[in-house]
Amino acid sequence: TSDSALTPTDKASLAKPATTPSYEIKERCNPFHVLNILINAAVCLTVFVAVKKLFNSTRLGFFAGLLFACHPIHTESVAYVTGIGELLGALFFFLALIVYLKASYDQVRFRLLPYLLSLFLFLIGLFTKEHVITRICVFIRYDFILFLGGRRTLGLLPRLGMYFGYLCVIGLNVAARYSAIGYLRPTT
């Protein structure tokens, strides 16, 4: 298909290739909220796991997951058809964070496989919703807090290499987005 034959909706589908298949699945769900509710439950579970790993507290993880589940700001994401992008973005970010924690927490050696999986999940999150790009700051803040607390895990050079990998993933997303739709402004 030539670029001139693509409608704005087709271009938006190319910009968010991880979200578009979920709309196809959602059409088969009756009522359509079922998929959003299931994904929201998965996000709440990943919030629980991430907070539990970050603070080594099951109780804190439980309350964080419960707060995420009950907070009214998530109403639109669960209730509206188009909210699935927000939910998938959150799901892939929290999955990437959990795997990042596994890759970077070891005090002796760097774990390549969890790191690569975290990069992949981060990329899928970017292909789902653009705002996932800001989440790289969470990884950097986490490492900075560990460094200030005296709980060094890896040295500075391995950390910078890990951040560079995320910057490469962001560059790949930007290049794919520009290649697919011809501009970089967010789609709705």
Side-chain angles (χ1 to χ4, degrees):
T1 307
S2 69
D3 286 343
S4 60
L6 291 175
T7 66
T9 304
D10 294 334
K11 287 184 177 184
S13 295
L14 292 173
K16 297 180 183 177
T19 305
T20 306
S22 65
Y23 291 126
E24 298 295 325
I25 295 168
K26 194 177 268 198
E27 283 184 18
R28 291 167 174 67
C29 289
N30 193 7
F32 67 87
H33 298 294
V34 171
L35 188 59
N36 282 21
I37 291 169
L38 292 174
I39 294 172
N40 189 52
V43 173
C44 294
L45 183 63
T46 58
V47 168
F48 164 73
V49 172
V51 172
K52 181 182 173 200
K53 281 184 165 289
L54 279 170
F55 296 101
N56 199 23
S57 170
T58 303
R59 180 178 288 176
L60 187 59
F62 174 76
F63 285 116
L66 187 64
L67 177 64
F68 193 90
C70 297
H71 201 283
I73 199 163
H74 302 294
T75 304
E76 289 181 7
S77 297
V78 177
Y80 295 159
V81 174
T82 58
I84 199 164
E86 298 285 337
L87 294 170
L88 288 173
L91 178 65
F92 287 115
F93 162 70
F94 281 113
L95 288 172
L97 176 63
I98 291 166
V99 178
Y100 176 82
L101 295 175
K102 182 158 182 69
S104 65
Y105 194 70
D106 194 341
Q107 293 186 356
V108 178
R109 62 186 170 90
F110 169 74
R111 295 184 177 170
L112 183 63
L113 191 59
Y115 172 69
L116 293 176
L117 180 58
S118 179
L119 287 176
F120 177 72
L121 292 167
F122 187 72
L123 179 64
I124 298 299
L126 287 173
F127 280 146
T128 302
K129 198 72 177 167
E130 295 89 357
H131 66 75
V132 174
I133 201 168
T134 62
R135 303 314 194 263
I136 192 172
C137 298
V138 173
F139 300 145
I140 295 170
R141 276 185 272 157
Y142 166 74
D143 290 335
F144 185 69
I145 289 169
L146 279 184
F147 181 77
L148 287 180
R151 289 177 49 200
R152 287 188 189 178
T153 53
L154 293 172
L156 180 62
L157 284 177
R159 289 283 171 211
L160 291 177
M162 290 176 79
Y163 303 148
F164 182 73
Y166 286 99
L167 291 176
C168 289
V169 165
I170 291 169
L172 177 65
N173 177 261
V174 168
R177 180 181 183 81
Y178 187 78
S179 173
I181 60 176
Y183 53 85
L184 297 177
R185 106 176 146 257
T187 56
T188 55

